[in-house]
Amino acid sequence: MDGMSRWEPNASERLLGAALSLYRENGYDQTTVAEIAERAGLTERTFFRYFGDKREVLFAGQGRLLELYAATIAAAPEPATPLDMVAAALQAGTPVFEERREFGRQRQAVIDSHPELQEREQLKRASMAAAMTEALQRRGVTELAASLAAEVAAIAFKTAFSRWVRDPGAPRLSQLIEEALAELRLLAAQPAG
Amino acid sequence: MDGMSRWEPNASERLLGAALSLYRENGYDQTTVAEIAERAGLTERTFFRYFGDKREVLFAGQGRLLELYAATIAAAPEPATPLDMVAAALQAGTPVFEERREFGRQRQAVIDSHPELQEREQLKRASMAAAMTEALQRRGVTELAASLAAEVAAIAFKTAFSRWVRDPGAPRLSQLIEEALAELRLLAAQPAG
């Protein structure tokens, strides 16, 4: 068996683990793709089969998450308001994060330490809102309401995730998402002064 | 009078006008600071007295806008809910944009055409939310509610501004902001299905 066509079990997981360790030990800027591949016991060629660049390693899996969000919105049983639908989507995605809390915390610390990674994170959040907007429109929600509900969902997620990942004593992510959405509803419900 | 200490009237406005024309004519990537200064009849040294780089020209004046937002929130008469306060802040800022609608439209077209500028725009939006969050906290609003209200304001502004700048037949910016906030309140007020 030569190295060219060898199937590598869990290659993407191994690369992600190696990248995260190296980013934490030596810094993101100082780490090369060659080092990540070596630490994972794989080749650079294998790295680039999975990821476009060394930023992208930290954001892999987003495509599947967006598909899950879109599918949950498409399948939400009637009657459901736009906020119900985005709330259901966010909740459907929480196990993905809950399963790997310590990983999530380490990953966030690396992102927070580097503006280039923060920019990529912003971009990923924008695609999350765009995916939800489209899914809501397919459910017959107007463009304005769909885009606002999707942005509200993105805020609720960002707020909840940030609390969850930074505070070791924080409750479950699903509960924090519920709290953020409840607080948003409360804010909006307060009669003008 | 030598050129070293000469006071140049409206230097920053002239540089902005020159930059915008050149970005539209030749593209953002192709334009140099030297060309912007030349078109404005000024020196590169003068350019860098006002702006850190050629991105920043398009985002000048944000500091004053954030001060206006913070001052409006600080001065909002009681009783005022967090959403009332951020709504008042956004409305206080609209004349800045209304006065220069055609400029705003051209500026947005340049930003939309270049990822590097879109990233800077995202960053500016984040500072807007951060400034409002701080101002709300100084009014006694809890951190969670302050940050959510500020993010809601940022969404309302983004949505309204995007409609205003892209659709020549759109109503006034202040009205679009009101509509976006009203739609957000409506979304949040719908009882769960």
Side-chain angles (χ1 to χ4, degrees), chain B residues 82-145:
Chain B
L83 270 198
D84 289 339
M85 292 192 265
V86 294
L90 292 180
Q91 294 298 357
T94 56
V96 176
F97 301 99
E98 297 274 14
E99 277 164 17
R100 307 193 293 175
R101 181 167 189 167
E102 185 49 33
F103 161 78
R105 197 189 313 284
Q106 292 177 5
R107 175 182 168 281
Q108 195 62 43
V110 171
I111 292 174
D112 289 348
S113 72
H114 211 288
E116 197 181 299
L117 294 171
Q118 288 163 38
E119 282 177 353
R120 182 70 57 107
E121 189 180 36
Q122 297 270 10
L123 214 66
K124 295 288 179 180
R125 277 196 189 121
S127 13
M128 168 177 155
M132 286 190 175
T133 301
E134 270 178 45
L136 287 171
Q137 285 185 275
R138 281 195 294 270
R139 288 295 302 257
V141 179
T142 65
E143 192 191 339
L144 179 60

Coordinates of all heavy atoms in Angstrom, one line a residue, chain B residues 82-145:
Chain B
P82 N -34.8 50.2 26.9 CA -33.5 50.1 26.1 C -33.8 50.3 24.6 O -33.0 51.0 23.9 CB -33.1 48.7 26.4 CG -33.6 48.4 27.8 CD -34.9 49.1 27.9
L83 N -34.9 49.8 24.1 CA -35.2 49.9 22.7 C -35.5 51.4 22.3 O -35.2 51.9 21.3 CB -36.3 49.0 22.2 CG -35.9 47.6 21.7 CD1 -37.0 47.0 20.9 CD2 -34.6 47.6 20.9
D84 N -36.2 52.0 23.2 CA -36.5 53.5 23.0 C -35.2 54.3 22.9 O -35.1 55.1 22.0 CB -37.2 54.1 24.2 CG -38.7 53.6 24.4 OD1 -39.2 53.1 23.4 OD2 -39.2 53.7 25.5
M85 N -34.3 53.9 23.7 CA -33.0 54.7 23.8 C -32.2 54.5 22.5 O -31.7 55.4 21.9 CB -32.2 54.4 25.0 CG -32.9 54.9 26.3 SD -31.9 54.9 27.8 CE -32.3 53.3 28.5
V86 N -32.1 53.2 22.1 CA -31.3 53.0 20.9 C -32.0 53.5 19.6 O -31.4 54.0 18.7 CB -30.9 51.5 20.6 CG1 -30.0 51.0 21.7 CG2 -32.1 50.6 20.6
A87 N -33.4 53.5 19.7 CA -34.1 54.0 18.5 C -33.9 55.6 18.4 O -33.6 56.1 17.4 CB -35.6 53.8 18.7
A88 N -33.9 56.2 19.6 CA -33.6 57.7 19.6 C -32.2 58.0 19.1 O -32.0 58.9 18.3 CB -33.8 58.2 21.0
A89 N -31.2 57.1 19.5 CA -29.9 57.3 19.0 C -29.8 57.2 17.5 O -29.2 58.1 16.8 CB -28.9 56.3 19.7
L90 N -30.4 56.1 16.9 CA -30.3 55.9 15.5 C -31.0 57.1 14.8 O -30.5 57.6 13.8 CB -31.1 54.7 15.1 CG -30.4 53.3 15.5 CD1 -31.3 52.2 15.0 CD2 -29.0 53.2 14.9
Q91 N -32.1 57.6 15.3 CA -32.8 58.7 14.7 C -32.0 60.0 14.7 O -32.0 60.8 13.8 CB -34.2 59.0 15.3 CG -35.2 57.8 15.0 CD -35.5 57.6 13.6 OE1 -35.1 58.3 12.7 NE2 -36.3 56.6 13.3
A92 N -31.3 60.2 15.8 CA -30.4 61.4 16.0 C -29.3 61.4 14.9 O -28.9 62.4 14.4 CB -29.8 61.4 17.3
G93 N -28.9 60.2 14.4 CA -27.8 60.1 13.4 C -28.3 60.2 12.0 O -27.5 60.4 11.1
T94 N -29.6 60.1 11.7 CA -30.1 60.1 10.3 C -29.7 61.3 9.5 O -29.4 61.1 8.3 CB -31.6 59.8 10.2 OG1 -32.3 60.7 10.9 CG2 -31.9 58.4 10.7
P95 N -29.8 62.5 10.1 CA -29.5 63.7 9.2 C -28.1 63.6 8.5 O -27.9 64.0 7.4 CB -29.5 64.9 10.1 CG -30.4 64.4 11.2 CD -30.2 63.0 11.4
V96 N -27.1 63.0 9.3 CA -25.8 62.8 8.7 C -25.8 62.1 7.4 O -25.1 62.4 6.4 CB -24.9 62.0 9.7 CG1 -23.5 61.7 9.1 CG2 -24.8 62.7 11.1
F97 N -26.7 61.1 7.3 CA -26.8 60.3 6.1 C -27.7 61.0 5.0 O -27.4 61.0 3.9 CB -27.3 58.9 6.4 CG -26.4 58.2 7.3 CD1 -26.8 58.1 8.7 CD2 -25.3 57.6 6.9 CE1 -25.9 57.4 9.6 CE2 -24.4 56.9 7.8 CZ -24.8 56.8 9.1
E98 N -28.9 61.5 5.5 CA -29.9 62.1 4.6 C -29.3 63.2 3.8 O -29.6 63.4 2.6 CB -31.1 62.6 5.4 CG -31.9 61.6 6.2 CD -32.9 60.9 5.4 OE1 -32.9 61.0 4.1 OE2 -33.8 60.2 6.0
E99 N -28.4 64.0 4.4 CA -27.8 65.1 3.7 C -27.0 64.7 2.5 O -26.7 65.6 1.6 CB -26.8 65.9 4.7 CG -27.4 66.8 5.6 CD -26.5 67.2 6.8 OE1 -25.3 66.9 6.6 OE2 -27.0 67.7 7.8
R100 N -26.5 63.5 2.5 CA -25.6 63.0 1.4 C -26.0 61.7 0.9 O -25.2 60.8 0.8 CB -24.2 63.0 2.0 CG -23.7 64.2 2.7 CD -22.2 64.2 2.9 NE -21.8 63.2 3.8 CZ -20.5 62.9 4.1 NH1 -19.6 63.6 3.5 NH2 -20.2 62.0 5.0
R101 N -27.2 61.6 0.4 CA -27.7 60.3 -0.1 C -27.0 59.8 -1.3 O -26.7 58.6 -1.3 CB -29.2 60.4 -0.4 CG -29.8 59.1 -0.8 CD -31.3 59.2 -0.8 NE -31.9 57.9 -1.1 CZ -33.1 57.6 -0.9 NH1 -34.0 58.5 -0.4 NH2 -33.6 56.3 -1.1
E102 N -26.7 60.6 -2.3 CA -26.1 60.2 -3.5 C -24.7 59.7 -3.2 O -24.2 58.7 -3.6 CB -26.0 61.3 -4.6 CG -25.5 60.9 -5.9 CD -26.1 59.5 -6.4 OE1 -27.3 59.3 -6.2 OE2 -25.3 58.8 -7.1
F103 N -24.0 60.5 -2.3 CA -22.7 60.1 -1.8 C -22.8 58.7 -1.2 O -21.9 57.8 -1.4 CB -22.1 61.1 -0.9 CG -21.0 60.6 0.0 CD1 -19.7 60.5 -0.5 CD2 -21.3 60.2 1.3 CE1 -18.7 60.0 0.3 CE2 -20.2 59.7 2.1 CZ -19.0 59.6 1.6
G104 N -23.8 58.5 -0.3 CA -23.9 57.3 0.4 C -24.1 56.1 -0.5 O -23.6 55.0 -0.3
R105 N -24.8 56.3 -1.6 CA -25.1 55.3 -2.6 C -23.8 54.9 -3.3 O -23.5 53.7 -3.4 CB -26.1 55.8 -3.6 CG -26.8 54.7 -4.4 CD -27.7 55.2 -5.5 NE -28.5 56.4 -5.2 CZ -29.7 56.2 -4.5 NH1 -30.0 55.1 -4.1 NH2 -30.4 57.3 -4.2
Q106 N -23.1 55.9 -3.7 CA -21.8 55.6 -4.4 C -20.8 54.9 -3.5 O -20.1 53.9 -3.9 CB -21.2 56.9 -4.9 CG -22.0 57.5 -6.0 CD -21.4 58.8 -6.5 OE1 -20.4 59.3 -6.0 NE2 -22.2 59.5 -7.4
R107 N -20.8 55.4 -2.3 CA -19.8 54.8 -1.3 C -20.2 53.3 -1.0 O -19.3 52.4 -1.0 CB -20.0 55.6 0.0 CG -19.2 55.0 1.2 CD -19.4 55.9 2.4 NE -18.9 55.2 3.6 CZ -19.6 54.2 4.3 NH1 -20.7 53.8 3.8 NH2 -19.0 53.7 5.3
Q108 N -21.5 53.0 -0.9 CA -21.9 51.6 -0.7 C -21.6 50.7 -1.8 O -21.2 49.6 -1.6 CB -23.4 51.6 -0.4 CG -23.9 50.3 0.3 CD -23.2 50.1 1.6 OE1 -23.1 51.0 2.4 NE2 -22.8 48.8 1.9
A109 N -21.7 51.2 -3.1 CA -21.4 50.4 -4.2 C -20.0 50.0 -4.2 O -19.6 48.9 -4.6 CB -21.8 51.2 -5.5
V110 N -19.1 50.9 -3.8 CA -17.7 50.6 -3.7 C -17.4 49.6 -2.7 O -16.7 48.6 -2.9 CB -16.8 51.9 -3.4 CG1 -15.4 51.5 -3.2 CG2 -16.9 52.9 -4.6
I111 N -18.0 49.8 -1.5 CA -17.9 48.8 -0.4 C -18.3 47.4 -0.8 O -17.7 46.4 -0.6 CB -18.6 49.3 0.9 CG1 -17.9 50.5 1.4 CG2 -18.6 48.2 1.9 CD1 -18.6 51.2 2.6
D112 N -19.5 47.4 -1.4 CA -20.1 46.1 -1.8 C -19.2 45.3 -2.8 O -19.4 44.1 -3.0 CB -21.5 46.3 -2.4 CG -22.5 46.7 -1.4 OD1 -22.2 46.6 -0.2 OD2 -23.6 47.1 -1.7
S113 N -18.4 46.1 -3.5 CA -17.6 45.4 -4.6 C -16.3 44.9 -4.1 O -15.5 44.3 -4.8 CB -17.3 46.4 -5.7 OG -16.4 47.4 -5.3
H114 N -16.0 45.1 -2.8 CA -14.7 44.7 -2.3 C -14.7 44.0 -0.9 O -15.0 44.7 0.1 CB -13.8 45.9 -2.3 CG -12.4 45.5 -2.6 ND1 -11.6 44.8 -1.6 CD2 -11.6 45.6 -3.6 CE1 -10.4 44.5 -2.1 NE2 -10.4 45.0 -3.4
P115 N -14.4 42.7 -0.8 CA -14.4 42.0 0.5 C -13.7 42.7 1.6 O -14.1 42.7 2.7 CB -13.8 40.7 0.2 CG -13.9 40.5 -1.3 CD -13.9 41.9 -1.9
E116 N -12.5 43.3 1.3 CA -11.7 44.0 2.3 C -12.5 45.1 2.9 O -12.4 45.4 4.1 CB -10.4 44.5 1.6 CG -9.3 44.9 2.5 CD -8.1 45.4 1.7 OE1 -7.6 44.6 0.9 OE2 -7.7 46.5 1.9
L117 N -13.3 45.8 2.1 CA -14.1 46.9 2.6 C -15.3 46.4 3.4 O -15.7 47.0 4.3 CB -14.5 47.8 1.4 CG -13.4 48.6 0.7 CD1 -13.8 49.3 -0.5 CD2 -12.7 49.6 1.7
Q118 N -15.8 45.3 2.9 CA -17.0 44.7 3.7 C -16.5 44.3 5.1 O -17.3 44.5 6.0 CB -17.5 43.5 2.9 CG -18.3 43.9 1.7 CD -18.5 42.8 0.7 OE1 -18.8 41.7 1.1 NE2 -18.4 43.0 -0.6
E119 N -15.3 43.8 5.2 CA -14.8 43.4 6.5 C -14.7 44.6 7.4 O -15.1 44.6 8.5 CB -13.5 42.7 6.3 CG -13.6 41.3 5.9 CD -12.2 40.6 5.7 OE1 -11.2 41.3 5.8 OE2 -12.2 39.4 5.4
R120 N -14.2 45.7 6.8 CA -14.0 46.9 7.6 C -15.4 47.4 8.1 O -15.6 47.9 9.2 CB -13.3 48.0 6.8 CG -13.0 49.3 7.6 CD -12.0 49.2 8.7 NE -10.7 48.7 8.3 CZ -9.6 49.5 8.2 NH1 -9.7 50.7 8.5 NH2 -8.5 48.9 7.9
E121 N -16.4 47.3 7.2 CA -17.7 47.7 7.5 C -18.3 46.9 8.6 O -19.0 47.4 9.5 CB -18.6 47.6 6.2 CG -20.0 48.2 6.4 CD -20.8 48.0 5.1 OE1 -20.8 47.0 4.5 OE2 -21.6 49.0 4.8
Q122 N -18.1 45.6 8.6 CA -18.6 44.7 9.7 C -18.0 45.2 11.0 O -18.6 45.2 12.1 CB -18.1 43.3 9.4 CG -18.7 42.6 8.2 CD -20.0 41.9 8.5 OE1 -20.5 42.1 9.6 NE2 -20.5 41.2 7.5
L123 N -16.7 45.5 11.0 CA -16.0 45.9 12.2 C -16.6 47.2 12.7 O -16.7 47.4 13.9 CB -14.5 46.1 11.8 CG -13.5 45.8 12.9 CD1 -13.4 44.3 13.1 CD2 -12.1 46.3 12.4
K124 N -16.9 48.1 11.8 CA -17.5 49.4 12.2 C -18.9 49.2 12.9 O -19.3 49.9 13.8 CB -17.6 50.3 11.0 CG -16.3 50.7 10.4 CD -15.6 51.7 11.3 CE -14.2 52.1 10.8 NZ -13.4 53.0 11.6
R125 N -19.6 48.2 12.3 CA -20.9 47.9 12.9 C -20.8 47.3 14.3 O -21.5 47.6 15.2 CB -21.6 46.9 12.0 CG -22.3 47.5 10.9 CD -23.4 46.7 10.2 NE -23.8 47.4 9.0 CZ -23.7 46.9 7.8 NH1 -23.2 45.7 7.6 NH2 -24.1 47.6 6.8
A126 N -19.7 46.5 14.5 CA -19.5 45.9 15.8 C -19.1 47.1 16.8 O -19.6 47.0 17.9 CB -18.4 44.9 15.7
S127 N -18.4 48.1 16.3 CA -18.1 49.2 17.3 C -19.3 50.0 17.6 O -19.4 50.5 18.7 CB -16.9 50.1 16.8 OG -16.6 49.9 15.5
M128 N -20.2 50.1 16.6 CA -21.5 50.8 16.9 C -22.2 50.1 18.0 O -22.7 50.7 18.9 CB -22.3 50.9 15.6 CG -23.7 51.3 15.7 SD -24.4 51.4 14.0 CE -26.2 51.1 14.5
A129 N -22.4 48.8 17.9 CA -23.1 48.0 18.9 C -22.4 48.1 20.3 O -23.0 48.3 21.3 CB -23.2 46.6 18.5
A130 N -21.0 48.1 20.2 CA -20.3 48.2 21.5 C -20.5 49.5 22.2 O -20.7 49.6 23.4 CB -18.8 47.9 21.2
A131 N -20.5 50.6 21.4 CA -20.7 52.0 21.9 C -22.1 52.1 22.6 O -22.3 52.7 23.6 CB -20.5 53.0 20.8
M132 N -23.1 51.5 21.9 CA -24.5 51.6 22.4 C -24.6 50.8 23.7 O -25.3 51.1 24.6 CB -25.5 51.2 21.4 CG -25.7 52.2 20.3 SD -27.1 51.7 19.2 CE -27.2 53.1 18.1
T133 N -24.0 49.6 23.7 CA -24.0 48.7 24.8 C -23.5 49.4 26.1 O -24.1 49.4 27.1 CB -23.2 47.4 24.6 OG1 -23.7 46.7 23.5 CG2 -23.3 46.5 25.8
E134 N -22.3 50.1 25.9 CA -21.7 50.8 27.0 C -22.7 51.9 27.5 O -22.9 52.1 28.7 CB -20.4 51.4 26.6 CG -19.2 50.6 26.8 CD -18.0 51.3 26.3 OE1 -17.8 52.5 26.6 OE2 -17.2 50.6 25.6
A135 N -23.2 52.7 26.6 CA -24.1 53.8 26.9 C -25.3 53.3 27.7 O -25.8 53.9 28.6 CB -24.4 54.6 25.7
L136 N -25.9 52.2 27.2 CA -27.0 51.6 27.9 C -26.7 51.2 29.3 O -27.5 51.4 30.2 CB -27.6 50.5 27.1 CG -28.4 50.8 25.8 CD1 -28.7 49.6 25.0 CD2 -29.7 51.6 26.1
Q137 N -25.5 50.5 29.4 CA -25.1 50.1 30.8 C -25.0 51.3 31.7 O -25.3 51.2 32.9 CB -23.8 49.3 30.7 CG -24.1 47.9 30.1 CD -22.8 47.0 30.1 OE1 -22.0 47.1 29.3 NE2 -22.7 46.3 31.2
R138 N -24.5 52.4 31.2 CA -24.4 53.6 32.1 C -25.7 54.1 32.5 O -25.9 54.8 33.5 CB -23.6 54.7 31.4 CG -22.0 54.4 31.4 CD -21.3 55.7 31.1 NE -21.4 56.0 29.7 CZ -20.7 55.6 28.7 NH1 -19.7 54.8 28.9 NH2 -20.9 56.0 27.4
R139 N -26.8 53.7 31.7 CA -28.2 54.1 32.1 C -28.8 53.0 33.0 O -30.0 53.1 33.3 CB -29.0 54.2 30.9 CG -28.8 55.5 30.0 CD -29.1 56.8 30.7 NE -30.4 56.9 31.2 CZ -31.4 57.7 30.7 NH1 -31.1 58.3 29.5 NH2 -32.6 57.7 31.2
G140 N -28.0 52.1 33.5 CA -28.5 51.1 34.4 C -29.1 49.8 33.8 O -29.6 49.0 34.5
V141 N -29.0 49.7 32.5 CA -29.5 48.5 31.8 C -28.5 47.3 32.1 O -27.3 47.6 32.1 CB -29.7 48.7 30.3 CG1 -30.2 47.5 29.6 CG2 -30.6 49.9 30.1
T142 N -29.0 46.1 32.3 CA -28.1 45.0 32.6 C -27.3 44.7 31.3 O -27.7 45.1 30.2 CB -28.9 43.7 32.9 OG1 -29.6 43.3 31.7 CG2 -29.8 43.9 34.1
E143 N -26.1 44.0 31.5 CA -25.2 43.8 30.4 C -25.9 43.0 29.3 O -25.8 43.4 28.1 CB -24.0 43.0 30.8 CG -22.9 43.0 29.8 CD -21.8 42.1 30.1 OE1 -21.6 41.7 31.3 OE2 -21.1 41.7 29.1
L144 N -26.7 42.0 29.6 CA -27.3 41.1 28.6 C -28.3 41.9 27.8 O -28.3 41.9 26.6 CB -28.0 39.9 29.3 CG -28.7 39.0 28.4 CD1 -27.8 38.3 27.3 CD2 -29.4 37.9 29.2
A145 N -29.2 42.7 28.5 CA -30.2 43.4 27.9 C -29.6 44.6 27.0 O -30.0 44.8 25.9 CB -31.2 44.0 28.9

